[in-house]
Structure formats: C-alpha cells, structure tokens
C-alpha cells in the first residue's frame, strides 16, 4: 500500500526479455544435444566400419573360405582339426561342423562388409538400409558366438586363455553392441527381424552347449591329436 507522500514508482516489464532469454537458452541446449548425438553417431558408425571390415576380412574372407576350400595347407589343417579335435570335443561330426561354420562365417563376413560400407556410402534406399542394419546385427551376433565358443574350446584343449578366436569374439561383441545402440534399424519390422534372428542364433548356441555336454569328449582324449595338429 502506497502512502500519500510516497512517489509512484513504475517497474519495467521484463517478461518479454525473460521469455526471449529462456527461449534462446533452450535453443542453445537443443543444438548442443543434437550436435552431441550426431557426433556420437558418426564415431559409432566409424567404429563399426573399422571393426566390421576386420571381421569380414578375417573371419569371412579368410577363416570361412579356409574351412570350405578343398585344397591348400590351411584347408588340410582345418579338415584334420575338425575331424580329430574340434568335432569330437564339441560332440559333432567334424566335416559337418566345418562346413556349417565355414558357410556361416563366410556369409556373415560378406554381409557385414557389404552392409557397413553400403550404409556408410548411402547407396541403399530407406527400406533396404533398415533391412541391412538388422542383418548386420544378426551377422555380428553369429560371429560373436562362433568366436567365444572357439575361444572356450581352445582354452580347454590348448590352455590358451586369449586365443585369436576369443579376440575376434570380443571384436564382434563390440561391433554388435555399437550397431544395436547407435546404428540401429529405425523401423519396428526390421527391429523385430533383428531380435528374432539374433534370438535364434542364441538358441542354436544353447543347443550346441547341450550337445557338447552329452556327446562331447573330454579334452584329455583329443590332446594328442591337438598336439599333432599344432605341429603342422
């Protein structure tokens, strides 16, 4: 309440200026967030291109073809290894296991190389891009399972805790997680496809573990054949 002898004091209206300041601050925060998200996406995509190229060349073009090739020293070593060591240890016929893993590694490696580079170079349309991103996740999951199972086998048979297959399994897991959380497919159908096929890969891995438990041989029974294989 103003007394009669007190002067009238007017206060400036700062509501518009305050609104403009708040709006400018929100816009600045939004642009920083968008820039950070874009930077994270670019880094993640670059990382998956690098890791995917390594996986495709090593496991797809080299490891997979070596298991399928009918001739050559590496093919002879692969054939003997699967027939006398890897197959009996895991509880599967050696030739069957070698062909299945070879086909899987080759197809997954080629899919990853074509997928990550095609996506990065923007040569796919939107629908095909989402399909390729989903299949890259599935292929990475399959190579991860193959790498970790092979690493476990080498740990028991050779006593090697950090074998090349185990390292490739770690690379495949980083690749797969980066594709899932940063370079993921955008449509619900492609996400469901990736989820269902990846779940199928995990079910097959569980089946392989069950077969190994009931039909696989103890590592001591294949140790002599493994020593001869390492001597080649």
């Amino acid at each position: 309440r103003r007394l009669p002898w007190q002067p009238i004091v007017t206060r400036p209206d700062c509501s518009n200026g305050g609104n403009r300041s708040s709006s400018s601050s929100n816009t600045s925060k939004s642009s920083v967030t968008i820039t950070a998200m874009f930077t994270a996406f670019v880094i993640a995509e670059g990382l998956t291109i690098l890791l995917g190229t390594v996986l495709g060349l090593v496991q797809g073009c080299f490891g997979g073809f070596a298991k399928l090739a009918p001739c050559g020293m590496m093919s002879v070593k692969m054939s003997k290894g699967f027939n006398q060591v890897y197959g009996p240890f895991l509880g599967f016929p050696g030739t069957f296991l070698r062909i299945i893993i070879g086909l899987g590694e080759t197809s997954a490696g080629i899919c990853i190389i074509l997928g990550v580079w095609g996506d990065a170079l923007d040569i796919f349309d939107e629908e095909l891009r989402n399909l390729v991103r989903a299949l890259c996740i599935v292929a990475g999951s399959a190579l991860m399972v193959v790498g970790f199972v092979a690493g476990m086998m080498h740990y028991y048979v050779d006593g090697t805790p950090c074998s090349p297959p185990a390292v490739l399994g770690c690379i495949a897991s980083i690749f797969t997680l980066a594709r899932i959380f940063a370079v993921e497919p955008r449509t619900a159908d492609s996400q469901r496809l990736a989820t269902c096929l990846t779940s199928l890969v995990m079910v097959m891995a569980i089946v392989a573990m069950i077969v190994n438990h009931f039909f696989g041989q103890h590592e001591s029974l294949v140790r002599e054949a493994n020593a001869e294989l390492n001597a080649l």
Side-chain angles (χ1 to χ4, degrees):
R1 183 179 177 182
R2 184 179 63 84
L3 298 177
W5 58 82
Q6 290 180 331
I8 299 176
V9 179
T10 59
R11 298 180 180 179
D13 185 8
C14 299
S15 59
N16 291 334
N19 291 338
R20 285 195 297 269
S21 176
S22 176
S23 176
S24 175
S25 176
N26 291 335
T27 303
S28 176
K29 290 180 180 179
S30 299
S31 71
V32 169
T33 302
I34 293 173
T35 302
M37 292 176 61
F38 179 76
T39 303
F41 171 80
V42 170
I43 293 174
E45 186 175 32
L47 177 64
T48 60
I49 291 173
L50 174 63
L51 298 182
T53 303
V54 172
L55 291 173
L57 292 176
V58 175
Q59 282 189 274
C61 298
F62 179 73
F65 280 127
K67 295 177 179 66
L68 299 174
C71 58
M73 185 60 190
M74 181 58 68
S75 177
V76 172
K77 188 173 182 178
M78 285 285 184
S79 179
K80 185 174 182 179
F82 275 92
N83 289 334
Q84 299 181 9
V85 181
Y86 311 143
F89 176 79
L90 294 174
F92 289 91
T95 302
F96 168 80
L97 186 65
R98 176 173 57 83
I99 293 176
I100 292 297
I101 293 179
L103 288 173
E105 284 184 331
T106 302
S107 58
I110 293 175
C111 172
I112 286 177
I113 286 184
L114 295 179
V116 296
W117 281 105
D119 189 13
L121 297 175
D122 199 22
I123 63 176
F124 303 133
D125 58 30
E126 191 64 25
E127 183 177 358
L128 184 57
R129 180 194 301 273
N130 286 309
L131 176 61
V132 167
R133 287 185 175 186
L135 294 179
C136 281
I137 292 173
V138 178
S141 301
L143 293 181
M144 176 185 67
V145 169
V146 170
F148 284 149
V149 171
M152 175 202 69
M153 180 185 63
H154 282 286
Y155 174 75
Y156 282 105
V157 175
D158 297 331
T160 306
C162 188
S163 60
V167 174
L168 290 173
C170 293
I171 293 175
S173 64
I174 297 172
F175 168 84
T176 304
L177 290 174
R179 298 296 295 191
I180 289 174
F181 292 108
V183 201
E184 76 281 4
R186 299 304 175 90
T187 62
D189 290 339
S190 56
Q191 291 174 359
R192 278 194 293 268
L193 177 65
T195 301
C196 292
L197 293 181
T198 302
S199 300
L200 181 60
V201 170
M202 299 307 167
V203 169
M204 293 174 64
I206 294 173
V207 171
M209 293 172 61
I210 295 173
V211 172
N212 171 252
H213 178 75
F214 287 102
F215 300 102
Q217 295 183 5
H218 193 267
E219 59 266 22
S220 61
L221 300 178
V222 298
R223 190 161 291 158
E224 183 177 351
N226 184 64
E228 295 177 359
L229 179 66
N230 292 334
L232 292 178

